[in-house]
Amino acid sequence: MSTETPLDLKKTVNLPKTAFSQKANLAQSEPARLEKWSRLDLYRLIRRAGEGRPKFILHDGPPYANADIHFGTAMNKILKDLVVRSRTMMGYDSPYVPGYDCHGLPIETHVEKALEKKGKKKSDLNLETFRRICREHAENALKSQTRDFKRLGILGEWDDPYLTMSNHYEAETARMFARFVERGWVYKGARPVYWCIKDQTALAEAEVEYHQHTSPSVYVKFPLQSDPAAIDPALAGRKVFVLIWTTTPWTLPANLGIAVHPDFEYSAFEYGDEVYIVASELVESVAAKCGLDAAPKVLARFPGSKLDRLECRHAWLDRTSLLMVGEHVTLGGEADAETELDVSEAQKKSDSKAGTGCVHTAPGHGHDDFVIGKRYGLEIYCPVDNAGRFTPEVEHFAGQRVFDANDLIVEFMRERGVLLFSERYEHRYPHCWRCKNPVIFRATPQWFIAMDQAHRDLVEKDEDGRDRTNFTDNPSETGSLRSAALEQIERVNWIPAWGVDRMRNMLKGRPDWCVSRQRVWGVSIPVFYCAKCTEAVADPAVIHHVADIFERESGDAWYTHSAQELLPEGYTCKGCGAQEWTKESDILDVWFDSGVSSIAVLENREELRWPADVYLEGGDQFRGWFNSSLMVGIAAHDRAPYNTVITHGWTLDAQGRAMHKSAGNAVEPEKVIKQSGAETIRLWCVSSNYFDDMRGSDEILQRVTDGYRKLRNTARFALGNLDGFDPARDSVPVEEMEEIDRWALAELNRVTKEVLAAYEAYEFHNVYRALYNFATVTLSARYFDIIKDRLYTFAPRNKARRSAQTVLLQIGDALARLLGPILVFTADEIWENLPNRTEPSIHLALFPTANDERHEALFAEWDRLFAIRDDVLRALEEARVAKQIGSSLEAKLTLGASGDALALLQKHQKDLRYLFIVSQIELGEAKGAGVSITISVADGKKCERCWNYSKRVGESDVYPTVCERCVAALAEIEQE
RNA sequence: CGCGGUGUAGUCCAACGGCAAGACGCUCGACUGAUAAUCGAGAAACGCAGGUUCAACUCCUGCCGCCGCGACCA
């Protein structure tokens, strides 16, 4: 049917049209979409859709329920969300139960500070009340975090997360402690902690502040008891002394050993009729300091390892001091924890080297001392009481306060002739944050989980903080926690692969796990002491009885009930038959809490299962949660609780520095969300490789926003050109498509394959790179640009146009699905604007499938064509610079080629004008290897409708301003 | 100081031992039918020093920088 009146030309051009706006307006649209998902109950719908599918369990490491989330927390949760969502779209049933770590010191500290602001003190409250306030604080914090996580688009069981402070969890924590007891891995021993002698309390590192402090610095002689000839024949028969240095003379009565570095070289040098051993590097500085010979005569040189397990006598006590080798020894000075700071300071002061390379070791008074002492089976000896006074057994100094004793000991040593030199030494020293007095390191009774052996006695006898346990240094001992852990980690898939090395290294070197804390806000150690004979009862049956009470009343029961009420009725002491009991006052390390999660959560929820497929946390968790979870998994089931462990890096600022609120370089998630939406943070997470540290700043996020816009516009172009396309009616079979459309589909297949593989390997940055590259290069710069003419100017129902649309639909569909886990909001929006959607949300859909066709010939041909196109574009640019043309449609292209190139161009001759986006092509044979390109001004006039140039513009009477192609198109349109 | 990681244009990052890719940004330009878009052209990089090799961004050693862990922080 032909109409009399000509059509309005502009209206016959099929310009893109879609409800998918160019401007995302994410800050507003995201909350609206979250609201919609909430109404749909999307998480529940996904669970229902996943019924019967194979399960994939990512187990959430609980963030600490204290402050608001920061950028790193956001990244951690988003990465987990990416795993869960991608596995869901791969066809797994992948439920996500988030958790919160609710106990611990930071909350106690926070609550204490809040109380102080109100003029109250912790001691004004009873412990139940204090715990109640802690609980409330955790509840508030986790509510606020939950709100933030949901806002980030994290999908999960937010209505019912797991809390380490829930009744059930606290009960399970107690039960797991019983499990460790059952396996014979729990014992009570001693361990040095920071101790304030004024407040008579243990202090956390967080409660310690460093101030300048003046201590006596002393060099002391320890006579060698072993035969010096064993070190070097030159020393045979000599009076040999090992020289130590310390700034805490009061710890000398507790000296049980001397540590040297196995690889350092030590020297024995002569002074009078005596011989002194110090590190070779320090011989001169020690000699100078102590006023010995300026050029001491060295009798022997030997590695520290030569001294291993030789014995000295204590400087004045009738006791052995064992020589040990340890990597912690430095040439800067003593390595007591109290003086660790001195070491770095002393090393900087090159003019005044302190120390001898032989480290005075008192296992009851220093961290490194404790560790090495344990390794060598030394007693954790601490003859100092709560008030900081020497116990009666300390000869000469019993009852003295340790700081007063310093000078007395120095004088005493001087009189005895064992002191070589002393001076006043100013250094940074830990002080109590409350009373501002200097603190000491002091061994106190603690509960441990043994790494290396099963203890015959459930609870090791312990008097006055002494550890009587044998410590074996044999990790291969079967049945030990350490050996089982070392074996299990080899079966775990670590991503990146170096994780296993790090874990192995950590496990090999770690001391027994100290699980007791002298704190309030946590799960009590469910142990009772007989009031008569002080027998400790750590009985699994009793603990289970207590756990059942926790299950009903929460762990608060430990504080609200008496020991008798918590024990089974009529429980009597096996030792003395008494029935009066006291309760242990320590709580469990919060790492024990969170380590229990795989048991408390995975085994207790219908939809989950043990072990987990994946744990995904930052690298700080090797010593933390990965470790504690492993310990618990082995205690419970002799197996790691995870099959795969993925580690992510740290969030840094643009300069690669750690983000700190105080440094002012922290990027706040809330602010970013407000400005450019959660989608920006999500996209940032995949914009670089999370296995390494990730950098974030306003500028970097701006780049990410630009990337987002590019993706959005690409999707928008596809959607806009699908206006009026009915897939059922208009789709064109692949065989009947234009060749470039088939090429685009092959490219889509290729990128789909790549993206699916990247998701499979958790390499989300490769997902992003592949999709981004596809969107910008393959689609935006090439395919879309080329098919515009066909889409816009051909009759709407023209088969060639429908061919392109068929491809665009597949592209839009695949983009939405493949971006689904990342751009959760935008992908859903794309999905809504596609004509073929089946599910109500993209998040109920699955990933597209890729076929195995290689399309090698097709790719080879089009790669060649696009290479020629690059040359053509360069030539067109030159013509543009020469003011010959503006738009490329103003050009006529003359191509000359020979051989294969000519054949290729001839084969696609019909398509070349579209491929190069010019109005006319002249193709001829030319000599030479490459393709010769000549640009000239196109012939004829510009067609008003399609903007191509043609000599035939004006041929039509009805449409005098239009070219022959448009005349045909208009005829087609008129027929419709 | 130990253990582990990491270092490529201004930025984010890629490359079986074989011409150092892509993107953002920048400079210049085109278009005004993806338009607070789109398209094109251009300038711009392997932390340092050795070693292995015909050949090293890649492998090895050392140094330097940065990050994490080494805490009753979590």
Side-chain angles (χ1 to χ4, degrees):
Chain A
M1 282 276 222
S2 174
T3 45
E4 299 288 315
T5 44
L7 296 167
D8 178 349
L9 287 178
K10 188 78 178 174
K11 283 183 182 162
T12 68
V13 181
N14 314 303
L15 296 180
K17 189 180 154 198
T18 174
F20 186 85
S21 65
Q22 181 173 48
K23 198 160 185 276
N25 206 5
L26 292 170
Q28 278 81 49
S29 68
E30 285 175 352
R33 195 162 292 273
L34 285 168
E35 182 56 34
K36 184 187 148 189
W37 288 336
S38 170
R39 277 200 310 274
L40 266 176
D41 199 359
L42 183 62
Y43 182 73
R44 205 60 46 206
L45 287 180
I46 294 172
R47 291 284 66 77
R48 206 172 304 150
E51 271 173 32
R53 292 180 190 162
K55 284 208 180 286
F56 186 94
I57 309 296
L58 177 143
H59 182 43
D60 188 33
Y64 195 64
N66 188 15
D68 283 340
I69 67 167
H70 52 82
F71 215 62
T73 331
M75 175 186 77
N76 172 275
K77 271 289 193 291
I78 289 170
L79 291 175
K80 287 170 181 167
D81 195 46
L82 292 171
V83 172
V84 170
R85 287 176 182 273
S86 58
R87 296 287 146 167
T88 300
M89 293 186 81
M90 285 177 201
Y92 289 96
D93 177 22
S94 187
Y96 177 61
V97 177
Y100 290 100
D101 197 0
C102 308
H103 296 134
L105 179 70
I107 289 176
E108 284 195 37
T109 309
H110 181 96
V111 169
E112 281 177 47
K113 278 186 182 157
L115 286 172
E116 269 167 29
K117 270 186 195 162
K118 291 183 196 164
K120 286 189 206 165
K121 273 197 209 147
K122 188 178 179 181
S123 49
D124 295 343
L125 307 172
N126 61 35
L127 295 180
E128 299 147 57
T129 311
F130 184 77
R131 279 173 60 98
R132 202 197 66 230
I133 300 171
C134 288
R135 189 176 288 276
E136 284 166 4
H137 174 73
E139 247 155 34
N140 288 334
L142 74 89
K143 266 181 202 154
S144 150
Q145 289 193 9
T146 298
R147 192 193 58 226
D148 292 345
F149 289 143
K150 283 164 106 170
R151 180 64 187 82
L152 284 168
I154 318 289
L155 196 66
E157 189 73 80
W158 292 114
D159 296 336
D160 187 20
Y162 77 85
L163 312 181
T164 60
M165 65 177 182
S166 72
N167 292 10
H168 174 70
Y169 200 109
E170 290 186 332
E172 284 291 283
T173 304
R175 290 184 189 117
M176 272 317 303
F177 183 74
R179 178 68 182 154
F180 276 94
V181 171
E182 260 171 33
R183 305 213 54 168
W185 289 341
V186 174
Y187 71 96
K188 196 170 185 186
R191 172 192 165 105
V193 296
Y194 283 112
W195 185 270
C196 176
I197 57 179
K198 175 158 183 301
D199 297 346
Q200 302 203 12
T201 178
L203 296 172
E205 173 76 20
E207 297 170 324
V208 163
E209 40 189 57
Y210 289 85
H211 301 297
Q212 286 302 116
H213 181 78
T214 305
S215 305
S217 157
V218 294
Y219 290 77
V220 183
K221 303 193 292 188
F222 275 61
L224 187 73
Q225 244 172 1
S226 306
D227 181 7
I231 303 170
D232 192 298
L235 303 178
R238 302 298 301 259
K239 277 163 72 184
V240 178
F241 297 84
V242 176
L243 298 189
I244 63 99
W245 174 76
T246 182
T247 58
T248 52
W250 66 266
T251 62
L252 285 169
N255 173 287
L256 294 180
I258 298 168
V260 296
H261 196 287
D263 301 330
F264 291 169
E265 189 196 71
Y266 286 80
S267 292
F269 66 94
E270 214 170 22
Y271 178 66
D273 59 347
E274 298 185 336
V275 175
Y276 300 143
I277 292 176
V278 299
S280 296
E281 229 176 276
L282 297 168
V283 168
E284 283 176 24
S285 61
V286 169
K289 192 125 220 168
C290 300
L292 311 178
D293 303 333
K297 186 180 169 199
V298 173
L299 301 178
R301 296 177 197 278
F302 45 88
S305 55
K306 270 266 189 187
L307 298 172
D308 194 19
R309 290 189 190 274
L310 296 183
E311 291 179 351
C312 284
R313 209 178 66 84
H314 190 278
W316 70 84
L317 292 167
D318 183 17
R319 191 168 67 208
T320 307
S321 186
L322 185 67
L323 281 158
M324 303 173 287
V325 297
E327 308 275 335
H328 66 288
V329 174
T330 67
L331 293 175
E334 188 178 17
D336 274 356
E338 295 117 310
T339 52
E340 261 163 26
L341 284 161
D342 301 1
V343 175
S344 49
E345 276 179 18
Q347 279 166 343
K348 275 175 206 157
K349 291 186 226 161
S350 54
D351 56 320
S352 62
K353 271 189 189 165
T356 62
C358 305
V359 176
H360 151 56
T361 300
H365 290 300
H367 181 256
D368 287 327
D369 301 35
F370 169 76
V371 172
I372 193 171
K374 271 285 201 181
R375 197 179 310 143
Y376 277 81
L378 297 183
E379 190 183 343
I380 308 306
Y381 179 53
C382 176
V384 173
D385 69 12
N386 286 358
R389 288 181 304 241
F390 283 119
T391 55
E393 69 194 81
V394 179
E395 287 173 53
H396 313 294
F397 308 106
Q400 291 288 345
R401 293 181 177 276
V402 293
F403 287 113
D404 300 338
N406 264 344
D407 291 340
L408 299 175
I409 289 172
V410 173
E411 260 330 291
F412 177 82
M413 291 192 296
R414 199 188 310 282
E415 285 164 19
R416 287 284 181 115
V418 297
L419 180 74
L420 220 50
F421 178 71
S422 83
E423 63 181 340
R424 308 301 291 173
Y425 187 78
E426 201 185 335
H427 59 149
R428 278 158 52 86
Y429 190 85
H431 289 68
C432 175
W433 72 338
R434 238 174 264 282
C435 67
K436 310 297 178 195
N437 286 303
V439 302
I440 64 171
F441 236 93
R442 173 176 179 267
T444 54
Q446 304 288 343
W447 288 94
F448 288 88
I449 287 173
M451 292 302 296
D452 291 303
Q453 68 164 37
H455 284 248
R456 190 151 307 184
D457 300 321
L458 291 181
V459 181
E460 205 71 19
K461 278 286 184 233
D462 166 64
E463 296 158 88
D464 200 29
R466 293 192 204 166
D467 174 24
R468 301 269 185 223
T469 55
N470 283 320
F471 190 91
T472 65
D473 189 26
N474 180 8
S476 65
E477 182 178 346
T478 52
S480 81
L481 194 49
R482 194 191 308 271
S483 62
L486 285 168
E487 189 195 320
Q488 280 301 312
I489 56 167
E490 302 298 329
R491 299 163 189 263
V492 172
N493 176 29
W494 300 90
I495 301 175
W498 49 257
V500 71
D501 297 329
R502 186 159 169 192
M503 200 70 186
R504 197 187 300 121
N505 216 291
M506 192 276 299
L507 282 170
K508 276 184 178 166
R510 68 158 296 169
D512 286 356
W513 182 8
C514 179
V515 291
S516 51
R517 298 289 185 271
Q518 291 71 52
R519 291 283 146 191
V520 176
W521 179 225
V523 178
S524 302
I525 294 179
V527 170
F528 297 90
Y529 297 95
C530 173
K532 288 264 161 61
C533 70
T534 70
E535 166 92 3
V537 170
D539 176 350
V542 171
I543 297 173
H544 277 273
H545 179 80
V546 171
D548 290 344
I549 299 173
F550 285 2
E551 190 92 50
R552 289 194 299 273
E553 304 178 17
S554 93
D556 292 344
W558 192 261
Y559 295 86
T560 54
H561 291 288
S562 68
Q564 275 71 17
E565 288 169 328
L566 291 165
L567 280 159
E569 230 182 297
Y571 194 82
T572 50
C573 175
K574 289 188 183 76
C576 71
Q579 293 200 350
E580 277 174 51
W581 300 91
T582 57
K583 298 174 286 187
E584 169 66 63
S585 59
D586 289 1
I587 61 166
L588 283 165
D589 178 11
V590 289
W591 285 114
F592 192 92
D593 284 34
S594 57
V596 168
S597 69
S598 75
I599 303 298
V601 179
L602 298 182
E603 290 194 335
N604 277 282
R605 298 220 185 194
E606 187 69 23
E607 73 273 29
L608 306 177
R609 63 156 160 72
W610 197 98
D613 291 290
V614 165
Y615 275 36
L616 194 173
E617 306 295 335
D620 54 334
Q621 299 301 331
F622 279 100
R623 275 166 195 277
W625 194 55
F626 296 158
N627 172 54
S628 63
S629 297
L630 178 64
M631 299 293 119
V632 171
I634 287 167
H637 301 305
D638 289 301
R639 192 195 187 287
Y642 34 68
N643 294 329
T644 295
V645 174
I646 308 174
T647 326
H648 62 71
W650 225 240
T651 51
L652 310 174
D653 71 7
Q655 280 72 47
R657 304 192 177 262
M659 279 191 192
H660 292 298
K661 251 184 211 161
S662 52
N665 62 353
V667 180
E668 288 165 48
E670 213 176 321
K671 215 172 119 194
V672 178
I673 288 171
K674 221 181 236 172
Q675 274 170 5
S676 46
E679 211 83 297
T680 306
I681 302 179
R682 300 188 64 101
L683 201 59
W684 172 80
C685 284
V686 297
S687 68
S688 55
N689 186 345
Y690 69 86
F691 300 140
D692 297 337
D693 293 340
M694 305 260 289
R695 293 176 183 213
S697 69
D698 290 343
E699 194 201 352
I700 289 167
L701 285 168
Q702 187 52 49
R703 308 269 179 277
V704 173
T705 309
D706 294 338
Y708 171 83
R709 274 214 308 272
K710 188 74 195 185
L711 286 172
R712 185 177 179 91
N713 279 324
T714 306
R716 183 164 183 268
F717 181 85
L719 294 173
N721 286 291
L722 286 167
D723 183 43
F725 182 76
D726 176 352
R729 182 192 64 196
D730 302 325
S731 289
V732 174
V734 181
E735 319 81 67
E736 295 169 31
M737 283 181 176
E738 300 290 311
E739 186 168 312
I740 192 171
D741 295 340
R742 280 189 273 120
W743 166 81
L745 281 182
E747 288 280 6
L748 177 64
N749 187 61
R750 184 155 71 174
V751 77
T752 300
K753 224 184 291 183
E754 207 179 325
V755 166
L756 293 180
Y759 271 123
E760 181 69 40
Y762 309 103
E763 290 166 0
F764 305 125
H765 61 293
N766 282 334
V767 171
Y768 177 71
R769 274 193 328 104
L771 287 176
Y772 186 77
N773 204 46
F774 179 69
T776 51
V777 179
T778 311
L779 296 181
S780 192
R782 292 184 175 172
Y783 185 60
F784 287 178
D785 217 26
I786 291 163
I787 62 173
K788 271 180 199 166
D789 182 89
R790 195 166 7 130
L791 289 167
Y792 294 171
T793 68
F794 283 31
R797 295 185 193 179
N798 181 286
K799 189 166 175 183
R801 181 165 182 271
R802 292 303 194 203
S803 168
Q805 284 180 306
T806 306
V807 173
L808 285 179
L809 176 59
Q810 286 193 45
I811 287 171
D813 180 89
L815 274 183
R817 291 171 193 262
L818 293 174
L819 285 170
I822 301 168
L823 298 178
V824 295
F825 301 99
T826 306
D828 204 35
E829 196 185 346
I830 295 171
W831 186 250
E832 278 175 357
N833 288 285
L834 281 169
N836 70 328
R837 66 201 156 101
T838 41
E839 290 83 359
S841 164
I842 185 71
H843 304 300
L844 288 157
L846 298 179
F847 280 143
T849 50
N851 63 49
D852 287 332
E853 282 176 59
R854 303 286 298 278
H855 303 288
E856 270 164 5
L858 188 68
F859 282 133
E861 221 167 82
W862 282 86
D863 282 353
R864 180 86 182 96
L865 286 170
F866 278 110
I868 297 170
R869 182 174 188 260
D870 287 342
D871 293 337
V872 168
L873 292 177
R874 210 164 293 122
L876 286 169
E877 186 61 25
E878 279 165 24
R880 209 170 276 133
V881 171
K883 303 287 177 201
Q884 212 177 344
I885 57 162
S887 159
S888 62
L889 286 175
E890 290 169 28
K892 174 164 95 175
L893 193 55
T894 308
L895 295 171
S898 61
D900 290 349
L902 182 62
L904 179 69
L905 289 169
Q906 279 169 336
K907 182 184 166 195
H908 294 92
Q909 186 149 20
K910 173 173 77 70
D911 303 320
L912 292 180
R913 58 179 293 197
Y914 303 116
L915 178 61
F916 300 136
I917 319 184
V918 295
S919 287
Q920 289 135 17
I921 298 275
E922 270 180 28
L923 178 60
E925 184 149 13
K927 283 174 187 145
V931 176
S932 70
I933 299 162
T934 313
I935 308 291
S936 53
V937 177
D939 302 325
K941 283 196 265 182
K942 180 179 177 181
C943 166
E944 190 193 336
R945 184 165 174 277
C946 73
W947 298 347
N948 279 260
Y949 282 72
S950 170
K951 286 185 196 164
R952 296 178 60 189
V953 171
E955 282 182 357
S956 163
D957 293 335
V958 192
Y959 302 106
T961 60
V962 144
C963 72
E964 70 283 5
R965 280 193 323 145
C966 288
V967 171
L970 288 165
E972 246 180 282
I973 292 166
E974 283 170 350
Q975 295 216 334
E976 284 175 5

